[in-house]
Amino acid sequence: MQKCRKFLMALLCLCLFLSISVIPASAATTAILDWKGSTSYQTQFNSAVSTWNNYKSGVIRKDAWNTINDVTISDYYEVSSTAGVTSSAGTIKFNTYQMDNFTSAQKRNVCTHELGHALGLAHNAKGDVMYAYVSSVTSLSANDKASYDASYKRY
């Protein structure tokens, strides 16, 4: 029993040491959104990640072995007017029924928009990425940036 306790204590210390040594410095000091999964719209999704990261560098990143996953991306098929949905349970899902009929810019708009929801943003005005309806807007507006700044302060 004593040997077992010593072994478990040594194992616990090793685990604590490893967990401290592998946490990136940025994760300890800033808010990070780690994602995993895949989508048929991966090119547009990756572009959407770049759009947000070009404004606040490194906030969104692909999940790795030493990170905690925040959002899982995937596709689904449903005959509806919904192009994408982000849930508080940590999922972003793209509806292939709608997405397959969109231009590349519209697909990128949906991906950028849904990532915005994952970052805590609500809908904004027409002309914004966070507008409630699909458009060809793929760049962050001043309004999108202000909303992101406000949301980022709450992280």
Side-chain angles (χ1 to χ4, degrees), residues 15-101:
C15 290
L16 286 172
F17 172 76
L18 289 174
S19 67
I20 291 168
S21 64
V22 298
I23 296 172
S26 61
T29 58
T30 62
I32 302 291
L33 179 75
D34 294 313
W35 66 270
K36 72 176 182 179
S38 64
T39 174
S40 299
Y41 319 102
Q42 197 68 51
T43 299
Q44 291 84 5
F45 183 82
N46 292 343
S47 185
V49 168
S50 294
T51 296
W52 289 109
N53 280 341
N54 285 339
Y55 182 62
K56 288 200 184 296
S57 182
V59 172
I60 305 170
R61 63 186 184 183
K62 188 165 183 166
D63 192 31
W65 69 271
N66 63 337
T67 61
I68 297 172
N69 180 60
D70 298 302
V71 175
T72 302
I73 62 168
S74 64
D75 298 332
Y76 73 103
Y77 179 89
E78 177 181 86
V79 178
S80 74
S81 61
T82 302
V85 63
T86 300
S87 79
S88 59
T91 62
I92 297 176
K93 296 181 181 182
F94 301 105
N95 186 358
T96 58
Y97 176 77
Q98 288 293 330
M99 294 287 282
D100 285 348
N101 297 308

Side-chain angles (χ1 to χ4, degrees), residues 33 52 71 84-88 91-92 109-124 129-133 151 154-155:
L33 179 75
W52 289 109
V71 175
V85 63
T86 300
S87 79
S88 59
T91 62
I92 297 176
N109 169 266
V110 172
C111 292
T112 307
H113 177 95
E114 294 307 324
L115 268 172
H117 284 312
L119 291 166
L121 279 64
H123 290 143
N124 281 342
V129 163
M130 293 308 298
Y131 183 53
Y133 301 98
S151 180
R154 293 189 301 263
Y155 294 168

